[in-house]
């Protein structure tokens, strides 16, 4: 029996979100041995249990209060919510934050020779998809009725197999569509992974652990999006240098030993530094320009 006092987090066992989910928890300092093919993994250094399941099961586990937190694609979450609402329920959960991974779009795609002029063209066609509710919500805005062919995998082969006229499926690069003779005609939903929490109030201990975890997740994601920039620059052009740097409101300026007219500048930037900007900095007289990754941040 699982210990109810430990925080339960559901994540995808294997698939497109599992590596990033695992990495995020590890970077937050949670020590888990996920090597074994086990459904449940126990953290060694914190009262946390990880449940490893199919991504489709994660929203339901959180909504039903079986687990405390879940990491899942917004597409899967939203589809589950719409499904439960269609059944007359009122699913409840809290979104804690959007992640910086799992980005994809749910798109309608048609055979390359399909003459597409707008959503109205799809009237009464058969559309193969795993996301019937998201598709219906989108097309109902245009009063377009359609027939569904519900598939849980290999959606992209449906038109070639004669199962459907067009498809509605997840796309990231578009290479799978291309390989199956399809073209993207309409983006209906943009998704990323997100962290959700069950609605019911937590015990004070669990809530404190969630708050701590959220601060760490924030620190990890913010650090991934930031860079530490160091350079040497002539004091006379410092204003111009600072103007070129993204988010350089408060750079640290340090003296350089034996140099009267040059200083060192250190700063955390919310963006990476492009080669073009580095070339401009150099042209202004900057030197020793270093752009370093940041591992962790806490503000
Ligand atoms: P499971 O076995 O857990 O049910 P799955 O086959 O349903 O896995 P994956 O293909 O691993 O799911 O995708 C999981 C999630 O990753 C998607 O729901 C989506 O949020 C995200 N994702 C990111 N890029 C893509 C992509 N190119 N195609 C599909 N999903 C993507
Ligand atoms: Mg799935």
């Amino acid at each position: 029996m699982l210990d109810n006092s430990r925080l339960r987090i559901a994540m995808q066992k294997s698939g497109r979100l599992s590596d990033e989910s695992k990495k995020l928890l590890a970077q937050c300092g949670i020590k888990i041995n996920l090597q074994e093919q086990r459904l449940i993994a126990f953290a060694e250094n914190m009262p946390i249990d990880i449940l490893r399941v199919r991504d489709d099961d994660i929203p339901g586990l959180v909504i039903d209060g079986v687990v405390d937190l879940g990491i899942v694609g917004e597409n899967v979450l939203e589809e589950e919510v719409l499904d439960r609402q269609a059944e007359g329920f009122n699913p409840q959960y809290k979104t804690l934050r959007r992640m910086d991974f799992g980005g994809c779009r749910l798109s309608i795609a048609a055979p390359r020779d399909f003459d597409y002029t707008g959503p109205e063209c799809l009237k009464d066609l058969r559309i193969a998809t795993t996301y019937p509710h998201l598709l219906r919500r989108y097309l109902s805005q245009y009063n377009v009725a359609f027939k569904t062919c519900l598939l849980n995998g290999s959606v992209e082969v449906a038109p070639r197999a004669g199962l459907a006229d067009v498809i509605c499926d997840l796309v990231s690069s578009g290479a799978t569509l291309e390989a199956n003779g399809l073209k993207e005609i309409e983006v209906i939903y943009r998704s990323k992974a997100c962290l959700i929490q069950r609605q019911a109030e937590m015990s004070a201990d669990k809530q404190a652990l969630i708050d701590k975890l959220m601060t760490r997740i924030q620190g990890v994601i913010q650090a991934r999006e930031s860079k530490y920039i160091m350079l040497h620059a002539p004091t006379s052009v410092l204003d111009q240098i600072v103007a070129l740097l993204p988010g350089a409101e408060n750079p640290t300026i340090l003296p350089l030993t034996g140099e009267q007219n040059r200083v060192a500048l250190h700063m955390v930037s919310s963006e990476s530094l492009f080669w073009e900007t580095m070339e401009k900095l150099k042209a202004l007289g900057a030197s020793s320009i270093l752009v370093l990754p940041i591992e962790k941040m806490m503000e």
Side-chain angles (χ1 to χ4, degrees):
M1 194 56 199
L2 281 177
D3 178 355
N4 232 338
S5 65
R6 290 169 67 88
L7 188 73
R8 263 180 235 170
I9 309 178
M11 58 172 245
Q12 192 186 24
K13 183 160 196 277
S14 72
R16 287 189 159 94
L17 301 179
S18 49
D19 282 352
E20 288 285 357
S21 307
K22 231 185 313 185
K23 191 169 98 189
L24 181 72
L25 297 182
Q27 287 178 325
C28 287
I30 307 175
K31 288 210 170 72
I32 333 156
N33 180 5
L34 288 181
Q35 310 294 60
E36 306 157 66
Q37 285 302 300
R38 296 215 350 226
L39 171 68
I40 301 164
F42 306 99
E44 295 161 16
N45 59 340
M46 287 190 214
I48 296 177
D49 297 338
I50 308 290
L51 231 78
R52 302 160 75 212
V53 292
R54 294 275 315 259
D55 70 339
D56 316 60
D57 296 333
I58 297 172
L61 288 170
V62 173
I63 291 167
D64 295 334
V66 179
V67 299
D68 301 306
L69 304 181
I71 303 173
V72 67
E74 290 166 331
N75 53 316
V76 172
L77 173 66
E78 194 73 14
E79 182 69 19
E80 178 70 23
V81 167
L82 292 174
D83 187 50
R84 289 190 178 216
Q85 284 171 344
E87 306 246 314
F89 296 105
N90 180 21
Q92 302 277 318
Y93 65 91
K94 294 179 196 162
T95 300
L96 295 185
R97 73 163 295 150
R98 209 172 195 216
M99 300 299 192
D100 62 345
F101 59 87
C104 59
R105 51 194 192 271
L106 185 62
S107 290
I108 303 176
R112 219 171 278 139
D113 56 5
F114 189 97
D115 184 20
Y116 185 73
T117 50
E120 301 73 27
C121 300
L122 302 169
K123 193 171 177 306
D124 295 332
L125 293 188
R126 187 171 293 281
I127 310 180
T129 189
T130 316
Y131 300 92
H133 293 291
L134 284 171
L135 178 60
R136 187 163 302 113
R137 182 170 74 180
Y138 181 79
L139 286 180
S140 66
Q141 299 176 81
Y142 302 94
N143 287 320
V144 170
F146 61 97
K147 290 177 264 188
T148 346
C149 165
L150 207 57
L151 290 178
N152 279 314
S154 307
V155 177
E156 64 285 352
V157 301
R160 235 184 328 135
L163 298 175
D165 303 294
V166 300
I167 68 164
C168 173
D169 202 10
L170 295 175
V171 185
S172 47
S173 72
T176 312
L177 293 183
E178 180 94 359
N180 284 282
L182 299 169
K183 63 178 177 188
E184 193 172 354
I185 54 180
E186 203 77 51
V187 177
I188 73 162
Y189 190 80
R190 290 186 191 275
S191 178
K192 280 209 169 165
C194 64
L195 178 68
I196 53 172
Q197 176 180 334
R198 71 181 164 88
Q199 183 68 28
E201 200 162 316
M202 303 279 172
S203 66
D205 286 353
K206 266 194 190 178
Q207 193 53 55
L209 183 55
I210 293 174
D211 294 346
K212 178 151 112 171
L213 217 53
M214 285 304 293
T215 309
R216 292 191 182 185
I217 291 175
Q218 171 66 18
V220 169
I221 294 181
Q222 206 183 344
R224 288 207 280 238
E225 289 167 352
S226 307
K227 296 279 177 262
Y228 196 81
I229 296 169
M230 303 196 277
L231 54 84
H232 294 175
T235 327
S236 57
V237 292
L238 218 46
D239 288 347
Q240 286 161 272
I241 299 262
V242 167
L244 278 175
L245 295 166
E249 290 86 37
N250 294 310
T252 305
I253 308 290
L254 303 161
L256 283 171
T257 319
E259 295 255 14
Q260 289 301 314
N261 306 318
R262 290 176 75 77
V263 287
L265 180 151
H266 290 198
M267 64 167 284
V268 173
S269 166
S270 53
E271 299 162 37
S272 193
L273 206 57
F274 293 109
W275 281 111
E276 289 74 14
T277 313
M278 291 179 72
E279 283 152 8
K280 283 185 197 155
L281 290 169
K282 194 163 180 350
L284 277 173
S287 62
S288 308
I289 309 169
L290 295 180
V291 181
L292 309 172
I294 297 173
E295 194 184 280
K296 294 189 182 76
M297 277 172 99
M298 199 180 271
E299 287 189 333

